[in-house]
Every structure is written in structure tokens, then in C-alpha cells.
Amino acid sequence: MSDQKKVLLAFSGGLDTTYCSLYLKELGYQVYTVTVNTGGFTKEELDKLEERSRSLGSESHSNVDVTEEFYQKAIKYLIAGNVLKNNTYPLSVSAERVFQATAIAKEAIKLGVDAIAHGSTGAGNDQVRFDMIFNILCPEKEIITPIRDKRLSREEEIQYLIDHGVSGNWEKSLYSVNQGLWGTSVGGKETLTSDQFLAEAAFPSQLKKTGEEVVEISFEGGEPVGLNGKSLTPVQCIEQLNTIASAYALGRDVHVGDTIIGIKGRVGFEAAAPVILIRAHHTLEKHVLTKNQLLMKDQLSLTYGNLLHEGHYLDPVMRDIESFYDSTQKYVTGTVKVHLAPYRFYVVGITSEHDLMQSSFGKYGEMNNSWSGEDVKGFSKIFGNQNMIYHKVHQTDE
Amino acid sequence: MSDQKKVLLAFSGGLDTTYCSLYLKELGYQVYTVTVNTGGFTKEELDKLEERSRSLGSESHSNVDVTEEFYQKAIKYLIAGNVLKNNTYPLSVSAERVFQATAIAKEAIKLGVDAIAHGSTGAGNDQVRFDMIFNILCPEKEIITPIRDKRLSREEEIQYLIDHGVSGNWEKSLYSVNQGLWGTSVGGKETLTSDQFLAEAAFPSQLKKTGEEVVEISFEGGEPVGLNGKSLTPVQCIEQLNTIASAYALGRDVHVGDTIIGIKGRVGFEAAAPVILIRAHHTLEKHVLTKNQLLMKDQLSLTYGNLLHEGHYLDPVMRDIESFYDSTQKYVTGTVKVHLAPYRFYVVGITSEHDLMQSSFGKYGEMNNSWSGEDVKGFSKIFGNQNMIYHKVHQTDE
Amino acid sequence: MSDQKKVLLAFSGGLDTTYCSLYLKELGYQVYTVTVNTGGFTKEELDKLEERSRSLGSESHSNVDVTEEFYQKAIKYLIAGNVLKNNTYPLSVSAERVFQATAIAKEAIKLGVDAIAHGSTGAGNDQVRFDMIFNILCPEKEIITPIRDKRLSREEEIQYLIDHGVSGNWEKSLYSVNQGLWGTSVGGKETLTSDQFLAEAAFPSQLKKTGEEVVEISFEGGEPVGLNGKSLTPVQCIEQLNTIASAYALGRDVHVGDTIIGIKGRVGFEAAAPVILIRAHHTLEKHVLTKNQLLMKDQLSLTYGNLLHEGHYLDPVMRDIESFYDSTQKYVTGTVKVHLAPYRFYVVGITSEHDLMQSSFGKYGEMNNSWSGEDVKGFSKIFGNQNMIYHKVHQTDE
Amino acid sequence: MSDQKKVLLAFSGGLDTTYCSLYLKELGYQVYTVTVNTGGFTKEELDKLEERSRSLGSESHSNVDVTEEFYQKAIKYLIAGNVLKNNTYPLSVSAERVFQATAIAKEAIKLGVDAIAHGSTGAGNDQVRFDMIFNILCPEKEIITPIRDKRLSREEEIQYLIDHGVSGNWEKSLYSVNQGLWGTSVGGKETLTSDQFLAEAAFPSQLKKTGEEVVEISFEGGEPVGLNGKSLTPVQCIEQLNTIASAYALGRDVHVGDTIIGIKGRVGFEAAAPVILIRAHHTLEKHVLTKNQLLMKDQLSLTYGNLLHEGHYLDPVMRDIESFYDSTQKYVTGTVKVHLAPYRFYVVGITSEHDLMQSSFGKYGEMNNSWSGEDVKGFSKIFGNQNMIYHKVHQTDE
């Protein structure tokens, strides 16, 4: 029986994790690899990753699919909360990292490894998200991050691989792209500046359609459950809407945000389905929720988005906020029409049996029978009463 | 000397206030009229309004211009706070009503009238905003609202005018439009439904340009002070940006919101300059403010926008929040490039000497010299410490 | 069959509702009365109220007990949220009015009356709370408020009763007292000033004990379920704790608050059990919840308390916040020792299996084995990183 | 000229910093010491500290007094914001650490030392607060923390001192006490448990008075400026009130809080003046501020207190919130009477020319002339309008 130490490596097949794979073996570890799919890999890509891992000498490789879990435990609430970080970014990568890390931790516990390795560098958010989840779920396992610890440059990594006889097309691709169910992030030379937008070619989906169309999204209890009258699971709904909408080159932007480690970071993204679904869902909510619900949801979403971004998904307050969201979504049922055209979309309108803007209860701009002008006059007087008193008390000062 | 009672009528020259003008005279009042310009009237329109008022028998008519005051006391803070009601609507009408009402109250005090009249109906927000400001600033003056009190229909008003020999082209225009410096609101048959978007023709500015261009907006202490390198006053900046951008049919949407009186109301708007300025300003802020500043600003803006919308501009808490905003804007200085094209725009990037994303302090995605991988490892451990403990304590439950 | 109109009068047996009872008959109504008990009436008092009502000529009188419902639907959440209005007042009266009004509305619907009457004056909160609940639950029923509408003085009411041959000891009692399960409010000549405290004699419970004792309160899922080791229902727990603690003259204060109608109002209160339970519960929470849960709870409680105070209990956002609270209380189980002495108490400490301050996970002030000094050093560096950068960028300005 | 490295040691004369002093010399450093007074040291104590430092072989010792700065830059805002962490703790130590660290950093820059040393252990908040401020203000200086890094036990330190011939009465005092202008913290064996209160003898001020008295505190623009009619500076006001009130053994409690490093920590405190001043100030505010101001202040204070506690005082958002506070305090002028007795106090009432509870504007419980019962009826109808509609739309579901 071997007394070799075992390590589980989070494996993507890129330069960094290929390096780690060899380096860990050299350190004397038995290397196991795992790839966690959050909706961004095809079957073929996953098969290739497994093959690649084995060819690098791993003991075993697992592909774990958490797409459905990712929807049920995070995306559902990102929609319910209309969560856009700094009113811009649908937290595409932030959210999926949590579920990748959790799946890796479970795999590590199952395999009984001594350590977990990941290929993060020392300047981004992901290192913190991975470290934190591992520390929380399996604090007894060592965490190894060769790229971060050795401050390796790309060139050094490539040289190391060449020296070890590992072939690969390592010439730096112009853009680093991370794809998942809830959007794709894109980094490249422009995102290292403050003043340039990403080149058109940097976005994974190119404009394919030139006309326009209206798509009808069905929501039930806040969840997307159909497109153009056809019932779908929420995951299917996101995938199919993304196919339709990304052909119009929608949901693109560049966001500058605060990394967990305090520096500012700029990231491009393409997230057609997320951006459209949130806008559509929010419009439906404006029709069916009270103003107090809308306001409180906006306040809570600031916190929910920030905590998720900073890797605090496992804090129990997140479960508490999700209970709040679940309660608010009771009547968020109806259909939303969205108009799509190249590079732009807008919400046409909504239909819902829970719409509070029903003509029988008074129309904006027209008079209603359940109250009188006198009622509103009285309301206005009392509603402004405290400020009337305030201004009386202080009128000599002003 | 006459013992006739005097009334000051807020006059727009439309059907409602024309009706009020005659009706108030019939009630025995000496009628004075006033029109308050918040940036939506031309000199010619104002001259015509004065003429019209006199022809209806008013004692006098005043045109009061509050455009600059409107900017200094409200728009400046709507930009500083990136205020979009429900993340959509720049509060175009909500904000200007306060300054109109305040100017009317001052005029009423100056003229020594016994009453103030306005043409509001009983179903919108404006009646409350006007009533409240008058109750606060001149509580001793009676408020008269004939259209609201008598629940008059359009047809009844027209018949009344015909009976009194007042000519006019009163056939109902398809859309009611309200224009000011901070945007134009549009109501019509579509906004009375929940499921239709406004017709293209309903928007005041039609698409005039087909190409694309980049406009460079300069901010100083959070205020817009230049376009494409040319220094301007903030009011000029808004006006000129609006001219440039509305040619691309930008800043349009339909918003459904909560009226102060509790019903849901839908309103179309076209606000090219407001929407672009807020997006540009916000992007600049994301580069120069700390994450705590950005988060706190988002929280306060929810309150600032809601209170302004509901007519509570005179509450002293609004001055307190403005002091907060003033403090935050100290370093919000720089230029923002915005790409304009038909129906869409995006922020290209920013340049600022206060940019916290300077390469000397670490680049997102690249390693920094002021901290090590060990530092981040320690950070991640401590940052997740409480949840590590929490999960240890509760691990048997889960 | 009679075509007389029917009215249901909320009846307390005091001067105001005795007046209303006669006055409504004189108006031609068949008068039905109802008294809703939220824990402040004894069986004997309720029997006397029924007798009194019948002697005044009512068609029928009902006594409705909502004490348990009041606990389940409000007090439970006031404890969960540690709700003290302006950090002072346990919302004793505010909360119970909702359940009184709801019970009255249901009774009115059951009896099929045409109108509901209540004895509120025109200067307090209760008029609004009653009106609003009635408008929401049975908008078709007329609301009659004789005291408010006729602006009656106490003397006029007494004269009216004398004229109608109704005897009673109407000499003004020095203090108006309102008692329920969640505390007693007291108004009197001092509360009409800003600078005087209530006289000792004004408080319903006088000091009866001079020693000191420690009481042990058991919580389960955030609810009080036992005293000194004896299992109780939450309602019993509140009642018995109140008996014990009010003998020490605890839970007294005078609060100045904002009425719903905009004026400031001062109210004395005695609420021994509520004040102690909230303090005890909060201390337990500080041991078992994470800091993010504690902070978010504090934020939500500001809103929950304000909306409840202003009569918006029926807004669905209240149910959403209650779902949040329910989720947070999962582990709020344990016992809390409270030291009682005349006029003062303090929390001694807590015991809970969910205590996050367990010695095995690091002691405050002593070193822990799961992290090193280097970890904290790294943490501090990264935790302050953004401000380090901020101060570098701006150091020449300061 | 010497090429010895220089270190500035934050010196308190206790076991830890005495150890550090010797240890740093042994490491080859020239040792400079500094003691920063935030109001807790007398002249005699400071003189002794200097003498002690020199006797341990330091190159020089400085005593820096930041009491006034501490008031102007922090305490003033803790009063303005009524800041009590978790509604309990006046942040006595948290706040003063910032000003101590800032003064040390300035001294270090002035002396041109290579490193700063402090005696913090690895389990508390202070290590993070010190590290962070030093990293921000002088990131180029090394930070040395021997006690934390070497995980030294008290016994090891004592043995080391004995071995080096340093005499001292190092037998462990039962309680560690930290005193400053804004309160005294106390740690001891009880605070290491969850269920015991501090022994009476542990509190620095023992009960000295048995009667009762009323003290009158004058506020001007939110600052305490007088006691019992005598004008004082705010610092004098705090000191003198503390002398008066601590004779009644007031302002004591035990708080359990979240340390910055994630563990729960319990701390006793005695802070008579802070607790009384905040309660008095808050009561005055409830009379002179609007409800929107009170609510917004409560929300901001949660953030201000948390950020201060966690060492983020230098984040610019703190300056922004202080601007907000400054604006709110404009009319917080008046006198507050507080009743003191052994172990308890209450606010009797306030007098202010800015009191919004003036009888001329309506009295709580009595009718007002500026509005009618009809006005309130209309108000209640409109105020509950949205929920009326909501319940109509959903009535079949419930």
C-alpha cells in the first residue's frame, strides 16, 4: 500500500492546470483531477478533458455536472432578486465558482485526498472563493496553489511544460473566456485598461441576425418556465433564450468592479439570457408586487449580490434572504414580451392575472370611484403634515 | 378697492387649465396665472402662453424660469446618486414638479392671493406633489382643483369652453407629453395597458441619424462640465448632449411605477441625456470610489429617489443625503467616452487621475508586488473563519 | 323585516364608546358591539362589558379573544426581530390594534352590518390603523367615527350622557391606560409635555419586591418556551414573566414618537416582559447567529417596526420579512439568565448548544490553532488593501 | 553612524510590551517607544511610562495626547449617530485604537524608523486595527508582533523577563482593563464563558452614592456643551459626566460581539458617560428631527459602527457619512434632564426651541385645527389604497 500523498486538482485543461498537474506529480503527489460543469462544457469537451488528464498521468479524472444545482441554489435567486452587481453585471462567474468549489470539496472528501490544488493566480477573486469554500467544507485538507505561490509567469510555465515534453498550443490566446449557464466572462488587453471597450471579435457570440423578433417568456412563481408558449424547465429556458438572443449580440458589456482583495478589476461579459431574464422578471414584478416589496427587495439584493460576489455564499444569512425571496415570488406569475433586435432589446409589456394595474381598481390618469378628490386632498395634507410643522418651526431661520 | 378674492392659477394653456381659468372667474375670483419653466418651454411658447392667459381674462401672467435652480437643487443630486426609480426611470417629471410648485407658492405669497389653483386630475402623482408643497410653504392659502373635485370629463370641459365662446383645437391629441430639462414623459393609449409598448411615433424625438459616434463627457466633482473637450455649464451640457443623443432615439422606455396614491401607473419617457449621463457618471464612480462608498450610495439612492418621487423633497433628510452626496463627489472628476448608435449606447471607458485601477497598484489578473500568495491565503482563511466555525458547529445537522 | 341600518361598534366601555353607542342609536342604527381581547381583559371585565353594552341598548355584544393569534402572527416576529421602535418602545399598542381591527372586520362581515364605528379621536395613530384595516378588509362598509368627526370635548360627551340618563363615573381619570399581552401604554398630563417623566403612581404595576433574583428563560427556535426550567406556551411565558418582573417595576419608560399623521406624540409604557424578552433573545442571537445575520436582521427590523407602527401589517412585504425571520431563528435555541432587581435588570449570560463562542474554535484573547499570526497579518494587509491604494492615490491631496 | 535598524514600539508598560521592548533590542533594533493617550492616562502614569521605557533601554519615549482629536474625529460622530454596536456597546476600544494607531504611524514617519512593533496577541481585534492603519499610512514599514508571531504564553514571557533581570509584579491581575475617554473595557475569567456576568469587583468604578439626582445636559448642534447649566467643552462634559455618573455604577454591561477575525468575543465594559450621552442625545433628536431623518440615521449608524469596529475608519465612506451626520445635527440643540440612581438611569425629558412637539401644532391625543377628521379619513383611505387593491386581487386565494 502506497504512502504517497494524494491531491485533487481542479482541472480545466488550460496552461495553468496542465502545469499544476505535472508539478504536483513532481512534488510526489498522486494526482486526481476533476472538472465541474456549470453549463459551459459540451460532452465532447468533457471527454477530451478526461483524456488529457489521463495522458498527463492522473490517477483518475471525474466530470461532475452541477448545472441543475447551480440553477436551483443560485440562479433562481439571482433572478428572484434581479441581482446585477453595481447595476451592471449578472455575477456570471462569481456565482458558479461556489458550486464548482463545493463539488470539488465533496469529491475531495469522497476520494479521501490529503490536499486540494487549484490553478488560481494571486490577483483575482477566484483564489479567495475557492480557498474559502475549501476552508469551510474541509478545513483539514491542505490547499495548494502553485501558480499563486510561485508567482509564475506564462513564459515560465510554458518552458516548464516543454522541458517535460508536454506538447500544447500555448501561444497566448488573445482573450481568456469563462463560460457557464449564467453567462460568459471575457478578459483581454482592453480590460487591463480603463478606457477601452472590448473588440467586437472578443465576444464569443457574434451577431448572426439582422431583423427583429418578439420573444414571450413565461414565469411561474418567479421562475422562467416557458418560451413562446412552450413549457420548459428553467435550465432549458435559459439555454434556449440564450441561443435566440445571443444571435442578436445582446447582453454584452464591460464592468469594472471591486475584487475581494481590494483592487479594481475590469471584466467583459456576454450574458444575453441573464440580462434579458432579469429585466423581464423585474418588469413583471413591478406589476404584481407592492411598492414596499419592491423597495425591500432592492435593498436586500445589494447585500445578496455583494456577499455572493465575495464568496460568502455559505453564510446562513444567504439562506435567510432566499427565504425572503421565496415568499416574494408567490404571485410573480405571468408572461413578458421582449423585443429583440441587433445589439438592443426592450420589454414590450406583461400579462398576469396578478397584475395590480387592473382597470377595475383605478387607472393612472383617469378618475377612480373608490375615492374622491377630497380624500386625496386630506391625504396630501396629512402626508405632508410633519414637514409643514418642521417648516413652521424653522421658518425664521430660512 | 375691490373685495374680490384672488387666486393664482398654475397655467399650461392646455384644456384643463383653460377650463380652470374661466371657471375660477365665474366663481368670482380675480385670476392671476403663472407658468414655471423647468427647461421644456421656448421663449415663443412662453410668450404665447402669456397672450393666451390675458385673452382669457387674467389679471396678470408671469413666466418664471427655474431651470438653473432645478439643476442646482435636484438634477445635480440625481446624477450624484445615479438615481433611476426602480432601476429604470430618471424621475423626469417627479423632480421638476417640486420646483414648479415651489415657484408657484412664492409667486402666490408675492401676489398676496387667497388661493392657489391647479388643473390636476384625481388619479396621478402631481396633485399630491402640488398640494403638499403648497400646504408646507403657504398652509394658509386655499387650494382649488376644479378638475379633480368635479370629476370632469374631457367632453364636459370642451362643452363648457364652447358655451363660453372660447375657441381652441381641443380634439384629443393622441399622446400627452410633458417636457423638461431632465426628460420628457409620454402617456397614451398604450400606457393604459400592461402589455403594449408605445408606438414609435409617440416619442417626441424621432430617429435622425444612422451612423455611430463617440461622445466624450467631462465630469468635475460629479457634475457634467463639458462635451467633446468643450467646457460647458451643467445645464448646457445636458441640453447639448440631449440634442446629440436624441437624434439616435436613445433613452426611451416605458416604466410602470407606484403612484403616491397607491395605484400602479405606466408612463413612457424619452430622456436621452439623463440616462446616458447617469450611466457615464456611475462608470466613472466605479473607478474612483471605494466599494463601501458605492454600496452606501446605492442604499441611499433608493431612499432619495423614493422620497423625491413621493413629493417629500422638503423633508430635511433630503438635505442630509445631499450632504452625503457632496462629500462622495470630491474625486468624481474625469472624462467618460460613450458610444452612440441608433437606439443603443454603451460606455467605452473612462480616464481619471483618481482612477483606483492604476497599474502601479496591482492589475486584475496579474500578480502584485505589495502582497504575496501567503497573504491572500491567510486572508481567505480569516475571511471565511466565522462560516468555518458555523459549519463545524452545525455539521451534524446538515 | 326591519330596514334599519346596522352598525358594529368597537366597544371598550369607556366614555367615548359609551357616547358612540347612544349616538349611533339616535342616528337610527341597530347597534352591535364587540370587544376584542389581546390579553388585557379578565373574564370578569369582559362579562361586565357585555352587560354594560346590553344595558345601553345594543342588539348583541361579542367578546373575541385574539391573544393567541396576536402572539403567533405578531409578537413572535417582534421577538425574532428584536423590534423596539426608535430603539425604545416595544410597539405594545401599535401591534395589537391590527388584530383588534381584523377581528372587528371579520365580525362585521359575519353580522352583515352596513357600517363599523370606532371611538377614535382625530389626533392619534389608532384612527388610521382602524380605518386602514377596515378599508382593506371590507372596503364596502362605511366607517363612522363620531368623536373624531364632531370634535367632541370630554365635557360635551359627559353632558350628552347625563342628558340621556346614562349614569357613570366620568370624572376624568388622571391617566389613560391601554393594556394588552405585549405591554401597557400610559398617557397623562406629563406625556403632553416634553420635559416631564410620568409620576411613579401612573404606572399600573407598582414596585412590590425589594430583593433580587435570577430568572432563566428558555428559547426554542426563537420563541420563549419556558421559565426557570418549566415548559410553557409562549403566551404563558410572557404572562408569567410579566408577573415576576413587573413586581420589580421593570420595563418602564416614556417614548416620544412620530404618529402616522405627522405630529410627535409622547407615550409612557410599562412592558416588563417584552423589554426583558427582547434583550434576552437578542443576547442569545449574538451567540448563535453570524455577524451578517445580525446586521441584516437589524436593517430589516427598522422596516418591520415602522411598517407595523404605521398600520401596514397587511402589506405582503411583512409576510416576506417574517419568512426571513423564520429562517434566521432555526438555531436560536438555548437558555438565558436574567438578573432582576428593583427598576433594573441585566442579562447574566446564555447557554446554547449552538453557541459559536465555543472554546474549541478559538477564544477571544487567546491564541487559536486553526490559524497563525501570519494568516492574520495577510488578512489585515488584504482587508485594508483598497484603502491603502486609495490613500496612495490621494496622498498628495491630504 | 549606526546602521542599526530602528523600530518604534507602541508601549503600555504591561507584560507584553515590556517583553517586546527587550526582545526587539535582542533582535538588534534600536528601540523607540511611544504611548498614545486617548483620555485614560494621568500625567503621573505617563511620566512613569516614560521612565520605565528608558530603564528598559529605549532610545527615546514619547507621550502623545490625542484626546481632543479622538473627540473631534470620532466621538462627536458616535454621539451624532447614537452608535451602539449591536444596540449595546459604545465601541469604546474600537474607536480609540484608530487614533492610537494613526498617532503611532505619524511618530514612526517622523522618527524615520524601519519598523513598527505592537504587543497584540493573535486572537483579538486590535492586531487587525493596528496592522491595517499602519499598512495604509506607512505601507513601507515592517510590522513586528512578537507575541502574536511566537504564540507566547504569559508564563514564557515572565520567564524571559526574569532571565533578563527585569523585575516586575507580573502575577496575573485578575482582569485586563483598557481605559479611554469613551469608556473602559474589562476582560476576565467570566468573559471567557458565555454564561457568567462580570463580578462586581471587576468594574473599575465602584458604587459610591446611594441617593438619586437629576443632571441636565446641554447639547448644541448635537455636541454636549454643558452640565447643570455650566458651559464646558465636549471633552470636559464627557469627563465630568463620567465622574458624576460612575459614582452610581452606571453604564456597565457585558457584550458578546463578532471580532474582525470571525470568532465571537465577550467583553465587559463600563461607560457611564457614553451610554447616558447617547440616550440623552437620541431623546433630544426624537423631538427635533423628522421621522425620515431618524430612520435614515438608524440605517447609516449600523454601517458606521460596523466599519469603525472593523478598523475601516480611513475608508472615505466614513467621511461621507460624517457629512450626513453634520447636516442632521443642525437643530439638535437643547437640554436633556437625566435621572441618576444606583445602577439605573432614565431620561426625564427635554427642552428645545426646535421641539417639533409644540402644542401649537397639534397635540397627540387632542384635536388639531389645521386638519379635520375628513382629512384623516381621506388619508387613511389613500394610505392603504395599494393594499386594498392587493387584497381585492388576491382575495380568492386567501
Side-chain angles (χ1 to χ4, degrees), chain C residues 11-37:
Chain C
F11 188 71
S12 73
L15 176 61
D16 293 333
T17 55
T18 301
Y19 172 89
C20 290
S21 160
L22 291 194
Y23 176 76
L24 290 164
K25 277 179 69 84
E26 211 172 56
L27 283 186
Y29 281 98
Q30 285 188 342
V31 178
Y32 297 78
T33 59
V34 61
T35 300
V36 185
N37 186 10

Side-chain angles (χ1 to χ4, degrees), chain A residues 307-375:
Chain A
L307 288 176
L308 182 57
H309 169 71
E310 299 210 339
H312 289 305
Y313 176 81
L314 293 178
D315 194 293
V317 78
M318 299 297 274
R319 305 297 84 72
D320 303 334
I321 298 177
E322 289 159 5
S323 294
F324 173 92
Y325 283 149
D326 281 336
S327 174
T328 61
Q329 298 302 296
K330 188 176 174 188
Y331 294 125
V332 185
T333 295
T335 58
V336 185
K337 282 189 195 148
V338 181
H339 180 275
L340 311 178
Y343 302 111
R344 69 182 179 108
F345 73 92
Y346 60 85
V347 173
V348 175
I350 71 102
T351 312
S352 168
E353 58 176 318
H354 307 297
D355 190 358
L356 298 178
M357 202 183 94
Q358 292 185 12
S359 58
S360 48
F361 303 109
K363 253 181 214 157
Y364 185 59
E366 295 192 7
M367 196 63 192
N368 183 282
N369 289 314
S370 71
W371 72 84
S372 69
E374 279 306 303
D375 290 332

